[in-house]
Each structure stands twice: as C-alpha cells, then as structure tokens.
Amino acid sequence: MPAAKGLDLSHLPPAQQKAIAELGISLQDEQLLWIAEHAMHVELPPDWVEFEDDDGNQAYYHAKTKRLTTEHPVIFKYKQFVDKVRKFQERMGTIGRKVKPHLAVIMNEVLNRIYRELPPVTPEIIERLAVLMYINTTTEHDTTRRLKIAIESYAEDQYDIALQAQQKADMDTFLHEVRNEQIRLEVLNKPDAVIMCTEIEGQPARVKCEQCKDFFSLEGFAATHATGKRKNHTTVKCEQTTCSVYPDQLATCEVDNTLFCDQAYEEVAQRQPHIRQKRKKVLGGLSCSEYPATVAEVLCEDCSDLYCWEAFIELHRRGNRLRHVPLRLDAEGQLYRAGELLPPEECARLIDRARLAREGGPWLAFQDDQLNTYWYHLSDKITTQQNPYL
Ligand SMILES: [Zn+2]
Ligand SMILES: [Zn+2]
C-alpha cells in the first residue's frame, strides 16, 4: 500500500500505516493522524461477517439487510469522519494548524481564570476550543458537553499540580479523553445509513434483487420487474426498521405499531400530545451511562440515570447512594417498580428525563464572574438566566 505523501511514517507501527493509507490521510492532514491511531484497532461489528469473494478480495456481508461491500463497514465510518473533519477545517480556515500550541494558549487562559477565582470557562472559550478540536458546537451537543467537562477537570488537576510541584502535566490526557468521545459518537455509535430504493427516490429498500444485485422498495421492484427477462428475478428481504415520517432515518421507537425516529416522535408528540400517554417501545435498547457499549438494565430514579447492573452496583456502594432504589428496565424500554409495570406516561417521563440529563440537548450551563448560573444555547448562541429545563 502506498504511504501517505510527504509524511515520514516509517517510525509508526505497520497497522497504523495501513490505517493512514486506508483513510487517505496525507501531508496536509498531519493533525489527523490520531484518527488513524483509533482506526488501526478496528473491529467488525457483530452483525457483519467477513469472507473472501470470488476474486480473492476481502468482503463483508450484513445478513439482515443483505448489504455486501468490499469496504470494512467501520473503516467506512472512519472515512466519513475524516471527510467531515476536513470540511470543518476548510470552513474554519484551520487546515494544517497545529493543535497543541494553540491548545496550550487556551489552557493558560483557563488556568489564569482559576487563579483569579473565576469559573474556569466561558461560552467563548468553549467555542474557540471546539474549533481547535474540530467539534461543531451547533450540532454536536453531546461532544461539546464532554469537552466542557474535560477542560474543567483538566484545569482543576493542573491547578493542583502547579501548586504542589510547580510543573505542568502534558495535555495528552485531555486530548485523549475528548477524542475518545468523538470517535465513540461520530464513528463507533453512528447508526448505519438506511439503504434506499435505487428506483423510487425517498423510499427505503425492502428487498434486494438476487440477479440485479440492486435494492428496491416493493413498489420500485414491481415497477422495474413487470416484464421481459426481469420478470423471473428473485428477491431476498432487506430488513431495516425505518421511521414512518423520515424514511431515510432508522426508527428508534414504536408507538401503536407506528415507527418513529427520535426527531419524528418529538414532532408528532408536539402536535398530538396524547401519544405521550401511549406505550412507547424503545428499539435496540438504551445504553448504560457508565459503559456506553452495554445495554442499560436499570433506571435510578434518584440519579435520574440509566445503568447496567454492574455499573449501578459499582456506583451505589457508599454513602447516600446506598439508599437509591433502581427501577428495572426491560429490553423494550418499560420500567418496573418492585416487579410492577409502570404506566406508559410515567415510563416515558422518567426515561426522557434520564436521557435529557445525559444528552442534555442544546443548553449548556455556565457560571458568570459573580458565580451566578446561566445557560448558553449551542445552536442559537443565546444565553438566559432562566433554567430552560424547568
Ligand atoms: Zn432484478
Ligand atoms: Zn442512584
């Protein structure tokens, strides 16, 4: 495989060199080498199988959707992430800008604020930091929230270290933490794209033609296979649960046998509030707050958070937390208190509150220089003194 042009990669492990080539990272992209560092540990998700095709090429097959590709499905997501980062750099005019020296300037500013007994960060600092880390604050609310937590805890640690030893720890821990989160949200947890009909625009695929090898909606297949030789073509099912409102999005919940993605459910519930009283079945399960790769098994009412049993037990060993009572959560997102199924509205309210506490939406809390709390809206870039969550 050809090495990326201009970069001296000879000191890097072969797996990383391979990842760099696969992701198409070149000289101008030296600041993106960390993405290849993650990509070299890539694993095939459980619903994919790997095999060698007739030409001896590595190929990947997804049994449910019948998707067949010669590109590793996770490497594909990494490439999309690299593209996204490049476009962001172009928009912001930061191509080739070195991250660490600029990060050091911001860190210094944050530390100075702490010395002056001010809250460590302001929305303006977070916005500048996000540009440096290739995070689009307008849309990537979870990553921005994590960025704020990471810089605050880094700064507190730094402050303690500086007081004791008058030395500076390096920024690698901070970079590592934020970038892990970016990879988790933007690559590893990114849902697969919906396979669309190749014939009728806007319709999700329901079958794959075994002879044409193309994907079709039922209508699209009928329209193209009514006459001639194609009449004898056979199909296999392409299984994907898509949103009934936005067919190019995967569904995340089901109400009254109708499938919705999160956005569609919210929009429909705004117009027809009575659907909130109906049982909402969560598809694919909710994940544990502590171990995001694990399915949540309980909801702690007092923490207002979702955990797997292991995480719940770990976090509730001591102090006040010993008294917290977990509600059992089943695979469909229903909650049980002492074995008793909760009413639909209470289930939905508790789960939505826990998800909001975790994901937070667009509002981010800050303190002003007098230590009064205010909220900053990441999309609209406005502030308010009124708690938007009440
Ligand atoms: Zn066909
Ligand atoms: Zn708790």
Side-chain angles (χ1 to χ4, degrees):
M1 244 180 240
K5 212 173 92 200
L7 276 178
D8 179 20
L9 305 172
S10 48
H11 61 289
L12 298 174
Q16 193 179 352
Q17 294 188 33
K18 181 169 169 259
I20 289 165
E22 278 176 336
L23 299 180
I25 291 173
S26 68
L27 176 65
Q28 293 93 316
D29 296 331
E30 199 181 340
Q31 299 303 319
L32 304 189
L33 286 179
W34 63 275
I35 302 175
E37 237 167 87
H38 282 267
M40 70 191 234
H41 303 294
V42 69
E43 273 174 38
L44 201 62
D47 39 355
W48 287 86
V49 286
E50 191 173 0
F51 65 100
E52 221 170 69
D53 70 9
D54 296 345
D55 306 322
N57 296 317
Q58 199 80 286
Y60 307 88
Y61 180 68
H62 191 267
K64 272 195 173 165
T65 57
K66 317 296 184 288
R67 198 191 304 242
L68 182 66
T69 167
T70 50
E71 179 159 46
H72 192 292
V74 183
I75 290 290
F76 175 74
K77 288 182 185 176
Y78 270 107
K79 271 189 184 166
Q80 286 184 317
F81 179 58
V82 169
D83 284 348
K84 187 179 160 184
V85 167
R86 276 206 193 106
K87 289 204 182 99
F88 183 82
Q89 287 178 308
E90 263 167 42
R91 254 197 342 267
M92 297 294 160
T94 59
I95 295 173
R97 179 191 286 181
K98 288 204 188 314
V99 173
K100 280 195 180 176
H102 288 87
L103 186 57
V105 172
I106 296 180
M107 295 292 192
N108 241 333
E109 209 176 316
V110 173
L111 283 176
N112 272 326
R113 290 182 59 85
I114 296 186
Y115 283 119
R116 286 157 55 208
E117 296 182 350
L118 298 172
V121 292
T122 62
E124 188 265 339
I125 291 175
I126 293 296
E127 292 286 358
R128 264 194 291 142
L129 189 58
V131 169
L132 199 57
M133 303 291 291
Y134 319 126
I135 297 166
N136 183 350
T137 56
T138 305
T139 53
E140 294 162 31
H141 304 151
D142 294 353
T143 324
T144 309
R145 179 163 288 99
R146 184 57 70 107
L147 179 71
K148 179 170 179 282
I149 295 169
I151 181 87
E152 283 171 349
S153 66
Y154 170 86
E156 301 285 350
D157 288 352
Q158 276 292 308
Y159 182 75
D160 291 343
I161 291 169
L163 280 187
Q164 286 159 17
Q166 302 191 339
Q167 63 172 20
K168 282 190 179 175
D170 67 345
M171 293 171 285
D172 289 345
T173 321
F174 168 81
L175 281 172
H176 192 72
E177 187 183 328
V178 175
R179 287 171 169 176
N180 265 349
E181 187 70 1
Q182 275 174 291
I183 293 294
R184 189 172 73 76
L185 291 167
E186 295 291 324
V187 180
L188 304 179
N189 286 5
K190 193 129 198 126
D192 288 322
V194 169
I195 304 174
M196 302 303 282
C197 175
T198 49
E199 185 62 24
I200 300 176
E201 207 180 317
Q203 287 191 358
R206 295 289 174 237
V207 294
K208 182 179 183 181
C209 174
E210 288 187 292
Q211 288 76 35
C212 303
K213 311 282 183 207
D214 278 331
F215 287 94
F216 298 100
S217 65
L218 296 179
E219 206 183 317
F221 183 79
T224 48
H225 287 71
T227 54
K229 267 190 190 165
R230 287 181 137 204
K231 224 175 151 178
N232 297 322
H233 285 185
T234 51
T235 60
V236 283
K237 228 179 171 177
C238 169
E239 279 177 62
Q240 38 183 8
T241 34
T242 52
C243 172
S244 57
V245 180
Y246 301 110
D248 61 344
Q249 298 293 314
L250 291 175
T252 52
C253 66
E254 185 181 335
V255 182
D256 264 355
N257 297 315
T258 307
L259 294 161
F260 299 105
C261 65
D262 286 349
Q263 189 193 343
Y265 177 81
E266 266 319 304
E267 287 172 6
V268 171
Q270 294 266 326
R271 286 196 306 272
Q272 309 164 34
H274 70 272
I275 84 155
R276 289 198 200 275
Q277 278 142 48
K278 303 203 166 166
R279 214 158 272 291
K280 178 181 175 190
K281 186 170 142 187
V282 180
L283 305 175
L286 294 156
S287 64
C288 168
S289 269
E290 276 300 290
Y291 304 114
T294 318
V295 175
E297 294 159 310
V298 295
L299 183 147
C300 177
E301 244 185 311
D302 304 279
C303 297
S304 193
D305 213 341
L306 298 154
Y307 304 110
C308 64
W309 272 115
E310 199 189 327
F312 178 83
I313 292 166
E314 268 173 30
L315 291 170
H316 291 80
R317 264 188 212 149
R318 272 186 278 285
N320 258 335
R321 285 188 159 204
L322 274 171
R323 281 193 284 271
H324 290 186
V325 180
L327 306 180
R328 189 170 71 81
L329 177 73
D330 72 12
E332 297 190 340
Q334 307 303 323
L335 289 169
Y336 301 79
R337 185 181 282 125
E340 199 124 347
L341 179 62
L342 296 186
E345 225 183 341
E346 195 178 357
C347 274
R349 189 169 49 77
L350 288 171
I351 289 175
D352 288 347
R353 203 176 67 184
R355 288 180 69 184
L356 190 68
R358 181 197 308 182
E359 293 156 15
W363 290 104
L364 200 53
F366 286 87
Q367 286 189 320
D368 66 19
D369 292 357
Q370 284 72 46
L371 306 185
N372 300 310
T373 303
Y374 66 101
W375 286 263
Y376 175 65
H377 196 284
L378 291 167
S379 304
D380 300 342
K381 314 296 182 200
I382 52 166
T383 59
T384 176
Q385 256 78 314
Q386 291 267 309
N387 186 341
Y389 292 118
L390 291 181

